[in-house]
Amino acid sequence: MHTEIIKIDMAVPDWDKQLDKAAEVLKSGGLVAFPTETVYGLGANALDEKAVKSIYKAKGRPSDNPLIVHISDINALEALVGSIPAAAPRLMKAFWPGPLTLVFPKSDKIPSIITAGLDTVAIRMPSHPIALALIRKAGIPIAAPSANSSGRPSPTLAKHVIEDLAGKVDIIIDGGNSMVGLESTVLDIIPAQPVILRPGGVTQEQLRQLLGDVGMDPAITNGQSSASAPRSPGMKYRHYAPKAALLLFQGGNDSVAAEICRRAALYINEGTSVGILATDETKALYEPSMHLSSRMLSLGSRLKPEILASNLFRCLREFDEKAVEVILAEIPESDGIGLAVVNRLMKAAGGNIIKV
Ligand code: AMP
Ligand code: MG
């Protein structure tokens, strides 16, 4: 399949006209990758079962991992959901458009392929102007998972989408950088006390301010699937993973840095190329032991967790571009969206955590 790349410059007047073709492709059952404020999404008509099937095929996504439906207008909600839980209106008013996905009882209009057979549907209104304009022009709800091959780090730049999906989708819209850099928060609002199923762009603190207490699925903090069936099925998979092996180190900054340096030296001796994932606060601890076949990237300052979030997936992909074979990474404990950063790192490491 030929993939057309359409670059959008939002500084140009009438930039949204450049989305007309992509909107037509979506309406006729095709696949369009587009920027959102969280990560790039791979979109198809959510009401067209065949189109949705092709999302799973292009990504190599397991069929039991449900998709999020994206809307541009609150009026689109009614047809998609069976009922509107009590917490929904306040949440939508406060956080839509934005990086918060809400889980509703589903309506019969939603094909079961979207929800992987669940009787619930996850819905979000993105805030990125290109995403909003595209959904509005298409005039249909758009099912859109992250626009990466299943299991790989999510794309925050069009070039990441091109790496994974060129030749497999009709159009890739290049709209620059995804600002948040991590996926949306998924919140189950069906229980009387809503539960975070996936941490993301909207923090637990923000949700608590609005709702009082908010639960957190136990699978989020232990980095593994919960023993019982996960309520957010996609979270059971190893996810977000670079091609390189990824080892995480947990402990005090100095002892983590000492252990990473010690292990880096061992790998380099064996001829294995090493990447070190640090933060601005700790990068000086590694500089003395850097070697020709080792690379270091900083995620940014731990005092600015939103910067860590926006850099994480790009850094993981950058190590792959540099053909690094083993990544040794700190766990950058921090507040707010920092919880989502640690969650993605743990999923990407598939449980390889070393306590020092
Ligand atoms: P992605 O599309 O790659 O951002 O992943 C979307 C994630 O949203 C899935 O992996 C699920 O964890 C979650 N999700 C989607 N639909 C539902 C649902 N109906 N109930 C619970 N979680 C959902
Ligand atoms: Mg994804």
Side-chain angles (χ1 to χ4, degrees):
M1 179 193 288
H2 170 71
T3 299
E4 185 179 350
I5 313 230
I6 300 175
K7 199 173 163 72
I8 307 272
D9 177 357
M10 286 192 289
V12 172
D14 294 334
W15 57 265
D16 62 316
K17 289 221 169 67
Q18 295 168 73
L19 296 172
D20 288 351
K21 183 170 179 189
E24 287 307 315
V25 164
L26 285 171
K27 278 198 263 189
S28 57
L31 291 182
V32 175
F34 59 95
T36 84
E37 75 280 16
T38 57
V39 300
Y40 273 69
L42 176 57
N45 180 355
L47 306 177
D48 176 344
E49 193 171 333
K50 200 162 151 240
V52 174
K53 225 176 225 165
S54 62
I55 293 181
Y56 284 90
K57 183 154 180 275
K59 284 186 55 108
R61 183 173 174 110
S63 60
D64 61 350
N65 188 0
L67 307 178
I68 295 171
V69 177
H70 292 68
I71 57 175
S72 61
D73 184 328
I74 211 100
N75 294 322
L77 191 70
E78 209 180 305
L80 308 176
V81 303
S83 62
I84 299 189
R90 269 175 296 162
L91 287 162
M92 294 187 293
K93 189 159 184 272
F95 298 109
W96 280 9
L100 178 68
T101 296
L102 301 175
V103 174
F104 295 86
K106 89 181 212 30
S107 81
D108 299 340
K109 263 195 131 181
I110 301 279
S112 65
I113 182 170
I114 287 197
T115 65
L118 298 171
D119 53 9
T120 56
V121 61
I123 303 182
R124 160 170 123 83
M125 188 190 292
S127 67
H128 195 300
I130 293 178
L132 278 176
L134 179 64
I135 301 166
R136 198 170 294 134
K137 269 179 197 275
I140 41 177
I142 301 294
S146 51
N148 51 286
S149 298
S150 190
R152 298 265 301 134
S154 302
T156 59
L157 291 167
K159 75 168 189 173
H160 301 155
V161 184
I162 295 169
E163 269 165 31
D164 284 15
L165 297 179
K168 297 181 176 172
V169 304
D170 297 291
I171 294 179
I172 296 173
I173 295 170
D174 181 350
N177 191 31
S178 285
M179 298 77 86
V180 177
L182 291 181
E183 296 80 354
S184 59
T185 302
V186 178
L187 185 69
D188 185 357
I189 51 174
I190 298 172
Q193 187 202 65
V195 179
I196 296 175
L197 302 180
R198 172 175 77 180
V202 169
T203 63
Q204 186 177 27
E205 293 85 335
Q206 286 175 296
L207 293 171
R208 280 197 171 139
Q209 271 178 16
L210 194 79
L211 298 178
D213 215 15
V214 175
M216 179 85 77
D217 191 281
I220 292 170
T221 34
N222 66 20
Q224 301 294 317
S225 322
S226 42
S228 54
R231 297 235 285 288
S232 190
M235 297 303 280
K236 72 175 182 247
Y237 295 103
R238 181 170 183 224
H239 243 106
Y240 321 113
K243 291 176 188 148
L246 173 61
L247 294 179
L248 301 183
F249 294 81
Q250 195 167 37
N253 287 351
D254 291 313
S255 41
V256 162
E259 183 59 13
I260 287 181
C261 289
R262 190 182 74 78
R263 297 221 185 195
L266 292 175
Y267 280 117
I268 288 160
N269 261 339
E270 289 172 359
T272 301
S273 62
V274 172
I276 295 174
L277 190 60
T279 49
D280 287 356
E281 285 78 8
T282 54
K283 61 186 182 190
L285 299 172
Y286 301 101
E287 265 147 19
S289 40
M290 289 310 284
H291 179 275
L292 266 184
S293 57
S294 53
R295 312 265 177 177
M296 180 174 52
L297 294 173
S298 171
L299 283 177
S301 168
R302 292 180 190 216
L303 300 175
K304 294 193 176 140
E306 59 291 352
I307 303 284
L308 306 180
S310 69
N311 287 328
L312 176 66
F313 288 139
R314 183 183 49 77
C315 285
L316 293 179
R317 283 185 181 255
E318 236 172 273
F319 282 129
D320 281 345
E321 272 168 38
K322 290 171 177 157
V324 159
E325 292 161 287
V326 179
I327 302 169
L328 307 175
E330 299 172 1
I331 298 183
E333 310 276 2
S334 60
D335 298 333
I337 198 174
L339 175 69
V341 173
V342 173
N343 166 262
R344 301 306 190 272
L345 270 171
M346 289 195 171
K347 293 275 172 197
N352 284 325
I353 300 165
I354 294 152
K355 297 201 162 88
V356 294

